[in-house]
Amino acid sequence: MSKIFQTSVKENKKAAENHYILTLAPLEKITKPFPGQFFMLSAGHGIDPLLKRPFSMYRRSGKNFQILYRVVGRATAMLKEKSPGDIIKVLGPLGNGFPKLKPRTTPIFVAGGVGVAPLFSLAEEIAGKKPLFFLGARTKKELLCMKELKSIGIKPFVSTDDGTMGKKGFITDVVKGYFTRHSSLLTHHCIYACGPKPMLEELSSLARKFRIDACAAFEENMACGMGACLGCVINTTEGFKRVCKEGPVFPLREIVW
Ligand SMILES: Cc1cc2nc3c(=O)[nH]c(=O)nc-3n(C[C@H](O)[C@H](O)[C@H](O)COP(=O)(O)OP(=O)(O)OC[C@H]3O[C@@H](n4cnc5c(N)ncnc54)[C@H](O)[C@@H]3O)c2cc1C
Ligand code: FES
């Protein structure tokens, strides 16, 4: 069950340009988060900023858990200034994590930018299934988790928008090339994804074309994180759904783009 708790910062270190890893040690017992679940964090104190911000669980290590975040605005800039011993209010774990991998199925991970955050702990859990991993970033300096993936035996296919590492272009182009070359082998596969919406939309059409089951963790602006404000709804074939409550993980075939 999710709850509001206080946690203390153990470490806050740079992971790549504009990206940091925050290690948090809960000061009380909390429910173990699953890959794909998220937490709402208070970046400041009092009413600045007014709302908590959602962040995926990146990794757990014992009782500690980690957040991998990109600095984009007020709250994330404040998070960047946190030091060991600082206390942060957290709500979570929230939402539904990634579905379990079916037997005899090979996972295919597709991560765009900081979208690797919710995927990494799942990849860590099922690294033995020899997953394929596609990892995209804007530029080499912002490429995340290369070392961590290597440490669990995964060598990702890489692309950068500017060609400074891996293939030049979008990661969905690399995925499309791979699927086209290996279409006859893609019989028992399942895609797990997270990244910018255009990436997910393109992936959704590739999954349909190559008949591969696919799910993705979605991001929407969130106010409450608990299903009350309806601020985070997305359109699905089953009607509007709340990303914080029914998601953040949805089957891609359900999304109305
Ligand atoms: C379920 C969920 C899980 C998330 N997990 C993570 C995570 O693990 N790591 C992480 O870094 N972020 C994650 N996010 C996004 C994160 O919540 C936002 O980046 C954060 O709320 C921004 O707060 P801010 O005050 O710094 O920026 P704001 O002032 O709120 O926004 C600043 C600017 O950045 C833009 N912006 C906001 N969010 C994003 C984004 N995700 N990407 C690019 N531009 C954005 C805004 O449109 C605005 O222009 C997640 C979001 C959701 C809904
Ligand atoms: S953030 Fe309030 S309903 Fe989802």
Side-chain angles (χ1 to χ4, degrees):
M1 223 181 80
S2 67
K3 63 175 182 175
I4 294 179
F5 59 95
Q6 291 198 333
T7 174
S8 81
V9 174
K10 287 280 238 191
E11 192 179 50
N12 193 15
K13 67 169 188 196
K14 191 167 179 172
E17 195 157 274
N18 298 326
H19 295 79
Y20 296 81
I21 293 173
L22 186 65
T23 303
L24 299 166
L27 302 176
E28 52 186 299
K29 207 167 173 254
I30 60 159
T31 312
K32 248 186 171 181
F34 294 111
Q37 286 193 299
F38 68 98
F39 294 95
M40 299 289 287
L41 265 66
S42 290
H45 296 287
I47 58 165
D48 178 30
L50 184 61
L51 300 171
K52 290 187 174 66
R53 299 291 199 271
F55 295 93
S56 308
M57 199 265 300
Y58 163 55
R59 258 183 128 169
R60 11 171 228 237
S61 67
K63 288 177 189 156
N64 300 341
F65 64 98
Q66 292 181 320
I67 302 293
L68 169 59
Y69 64 99
R70 175 182 178 83
V71 176
V72 293
R74 176 88 181 136
T76 44
M78 288 169 95
L79 276 186
K80 188 182 139 203
E81 300 308 318
K82 299 287 178 197
S83 306
D86 285 352
I87 302 295
I88 301 183
K89 271 196 200 140
V90 180
L91 168 65
L94 297 162
N96 297 303
F98 288 105
K100 282 219 171 337
L101 188 71
K102 289 184 192 142
R104 294 183 297 282
T105 304
T106 304
I108 300 174
F109 291 93
V110 184
V114 76
V116 69
L119 296 175
F120 185 80
S121 55
L122 182 63
E124 203 171 25
E125 239 176 63
I126 57 178
K129 304 277 177 194
K130 301 213 176 337
L132 295 168
F133 208 109
F134 295 86
L135 181 64
R138 294 178 195 190
T139 178
K140 181 181 176 182
K141 284 185 185 165
E142 293 196 358
L143 199 59
L144 296 161
C145 295
M146 289 294 284
K147 245 185 18 213
E148 290 79 0
L149 287 169
K150 191 175 171 199
S151 76
I152 55 170
I154 296 176
K155 188 170 184 286
F157 296 92
V158 171
S159 76
T160 47
D161 298 358
D162 63 1
T164 44
M165 184 137 178
K167 197 132 176 89
K168 184 173 194 281
F170 295 139
I171 196 62
T172 42
D173 297 334
V174 182
V175 173
K176 188 178 178 181
Y178 183 92
F179 284 4
T180 308
R181 288 193 304 280
H182 300 91
S183 58
S184 60
L185 304 175
L186 297 170
T187 46
H188 290 90
H189 290 71
C190 160
I191 298 171
Y192 295 101
C194 185
K197 265 221 182 108
M199 182 197 102
L200 297 181
E201 186 172 359
E202 172 66 12
L203 201 57
S204 170
S205 70
L206 290 175
R208 205 173 326 111
K209 180 171 172 195
F210 290 93
R211 297 169 187 225
I212 305 174
D213 264 354
C215 62
F218 281 77
E219 291 186 4
E220 286 294 329
N221 288 333
M222 289 185 178
C224 71
M226 300 183 73
C229 73
L230 306 184
C232 65
V233 293
I234 56 168
N235 199 1
T236 77
T237 50
E238 317 278 305
F240 286 100
K241 289 195 176 172
R242 297 162 296 181
V243 171
C244 68
K245 199 72 184 173
E246 286 82 34
V249 178
F250 292 97
L252 283 180
R253 64 172 181 282
E254 266 189 22
I255 306 300
V256 179
W257 301 98

